[in-house]
Amino acid sequence: MLRVGVVGYGTIGKRVADAVTAQPDMTVAGVAKRSANYEAATAAERGYPLYAADPDRAGSFRAAGLVLAGDVDDLAAGADVIVDATPAGVGAENAATYAAHGTPAVFQGGEAADVAEVSFCARANYDEAVGAASARVVSCNTTALARLLAPLDEAFGVEKARVTLVRRGGDPAQTGRGPINDVVPNPITVPSHHGPDVGTVLPDVPVDTLGLKVPVTLMHTHGVNVTLERPPEADEVRDLLAGESRIALVPGWLGVDGAGKLKDLALDAGRPRGDLWENCVWADSVAVRDRDLYCFQAVHQESDVVPESIDAVRALAGTATAAESVARTDAALGMGLSFGAPGYGDGPTGRPVSVGVDGATADD
Ligand SMILES: NC(=O)c1ccc[n+]([C@@H]2O[C@H](COP(=O)([O-])OP(=O)(O)OC[C@H]3O[C@@H](n4cnc5c(N)ncnc54)[C@H](OP(=O)(O)O)[C@@H]3O)[C@@H](O)[C@H]2O)c1
């Protein structure tokens, strides 16, 4: 059993802790929290030993009746692997503590690439992290791009990818984030950091990204254009993506017209916290014009890096191959949305199904 310490128990950390619990070969050694708030109470309720991320605040835990097992140093000493899910930049400050104990550490995408020996996405470069002392799981957007571009590059060769990322303004619990009523090019410079970040896990796939922020908390949405070396039929692309365990091809007949219904579908499916660990690619959006492939995909920012973090733990510990780890993670989490009917892109009659908004059809 790998004992995994989770430092930072917020949006990502709490999901990672639950995902660790779901694995047959891992257990939660403890979680480190800074504030004695509702998330700390949840961690205690779930039986995760609590550690103080900031020893100066330990008194507030005691005052709330929350028992502390120690601090981050103690957690690093007692864990086989640490997953650091603290806010951007804090992981870099914590790195020396993990290294001092010789405890391998998984960092998150808010950190600069040089926080770890290797940047990581299981589909792209699992093997590079095997036996390393540290890995950085790339950000939610970068993870989704790497998952999509890796199989496309293998099957058809990617000459160049251009992606517009419509990014959620904040997570549901981030009351202080915006924009509230705006559409903001962010960053205003091109490319955004996401394209170069893909290069840390897929160095041979050229991709330029443009970023915007919009006032939603649900998911990111990517408008994707990939120039391929060997152009396929659209159905070949759908078949390829349907074969990827961490891509859900969303058929038109479901009537899922946006991120809102995707999240509703996840809740209906009984997903914990309504999480969607998979890239959600609209099957009807897949189109090929000459050598250019187009599609839309939605990315659940709160959860797509969670299975990657689990795989990164096994890679650092050297306890599984890429195929073994991905299969084990996916099975334990319940990855894969089953839509109960064949023909993701075609309706029962074999004609393309187009589900529009408010009754609009493709002819409108
Ligand atoms: N949220 C996303 O959409 C998303 C997606 C992919 C990757 N990431 C990356 O994942 C990492 C974590 O992001 P998040 O969204 O999960 O952040 P978050 O929700 O703000 O959670 C951060 C956690 O770290 C704790 N913390 C704060 N300061 C700390 C410190 N000095 N030492 C130890 N712990 C501290 C916080 O505790 P308190 O609440 O008690 O202060 C909280 O439990 C970042 O690198 C981020 O870029 C985030």
Side-chain angles (χ1 to χ4, degrees):
M1 270 306 209
L2 284 171
R3 290 163 301 152
V4 181
V6 181
V7 178
Y9 189 78
T11 302
I12 303 300
K14 60 187 166 190
R15 288 171 166 82
V16 168
D18 290 354
V20 165
T21 302
Q23 305 304 311
D25 54 345
M26 296 183 193
T27 186
V28 175
V31 305
K33 189 82 178 73
R34 202 177 55 136
S35 310
N37 64 3
Y38 71 99
E39 289 167 317
T42 303
E45 216 163 80
R46 295 191 181 207
Y48 302 145
L50 269 175
Y51 289 75
D54 178 357
D56 290 344
R57 294 181 172 211
S60 61
F61 282 78
R62 282 192 287 273
L66 295 166
V67 177
L68 288 173
D71 59 19
V72 171
D73 198 63
D74 299 319
L75 183 54
D80 296 316
V81 180
I82 288 287
V83 177
D84 185 297
T86 57
V90 177
E93 293 169 13
N94 291 342
T97 303
Y98 312 143
H101 290 285
T103 308
V106 175
F107 296 94
Q108 300 299 321
E111 303 298 325
D114 64 5
V115 75
E117 276 181 37
V118 60
S119 289
F120 181 87
C121 170
R123 183 63 180 80
N125 70 335
Y126 182 100
D127 290 347
E128 286 177 37
V130 172
S134 56
R136 176 188 70 121
V137 172
V138 291
S139 76
C140 45
N141 280 304
T142 306
T143 292
L145 290 172
R147 283 179 183 169
L148 181 70
L149 293 173
L152 289 174
D153 192 44
E154 287 162 11
F156 312 117
V158 171
E159 184 176 298
K160 175 85 182 178
R162 300 167 187 83
V163 184
T164 300
L165 301 100
V166 180
R167 301 159 63 196
R168 60 89 177 96
D171 295 339
Q174 289 179 314
T175 45
R177 296 276 286 260
I180 292 173
N181 178 23
D182 210 341
V183 179
V184 183
N186 180 280
I188 195 79
T189 50
V190 178
S192 68
H193 71 275
H194 308 90
D197 205 25
V198 173
T200 66
V201 293
L202 285 175
D204 299 329
V205 177
V207 49
D208 282 345
T209 47
L210 297 87
L212 298 120
K213 276 195 177 179
V214 296
V216 300
T217 62
L218 297 168
M219 300 178 83
H220 304 298
T221 304
H222 296 174
V224 179
N225 164 217
V226 187
T227 305
L228 297 165
E229 288 162 4
R230 298 176 295 281
E233 296 294 322
D235 269 346
E236 286 176 69
V237 178
R238 293 188 186 109
D239 287 343
L240 178 78
L241 300 184
E244 292 289 314
S245 73
R246 293 182 182 173
I247 292 180
L249 204 59
V250 181
W253 64 263
L254 284 181
V256 171
D257 58 19
K261 287 200 178 77
L262 275 172
K263 289 289 289 162
D264 203 33
L265 183 156
L267 288 164
D268 285 354
R271 287 292 182 90
R273 300 186 174 91
D275 285 349
L276 286 157
W277 304 293
E278 307 88 343
N279 296 18
C280 298
V281 177
W282 277 278
D284 287 352
S285 74
V286 175
V288 179
R289 303 276 180 274
D290 299 323
R291 290 195 294 124
D292 280 325
L293 163 70
Y294 298 90
C295 68
F296 285 119
Q297 67 173 357
V299 180
H300 187 218
Q301 75 280 356
E302 296 175 286
S303 66
D304 75 327
V305 297
V306 172
E308 308 296 329
S309 298
I310 298 297
D311 292 331
V313 167
R314 286 197 195 95
L316 295 187
T319 55
T321 65
E324 288 165 352
S325 181
V326 168
R328 205 177 299 164
T329 303
D330 291 358
L333 290 178
M335 185 83 67
L337 288 164
S338 168
F339 298 123
Y344 33 75
D346 298 328
T349 61
R351 284 181 290 107
V353 172
S354 188
V355 178
V357 183
D358 295 331
T361 71
D363 299 330
D364 291 335

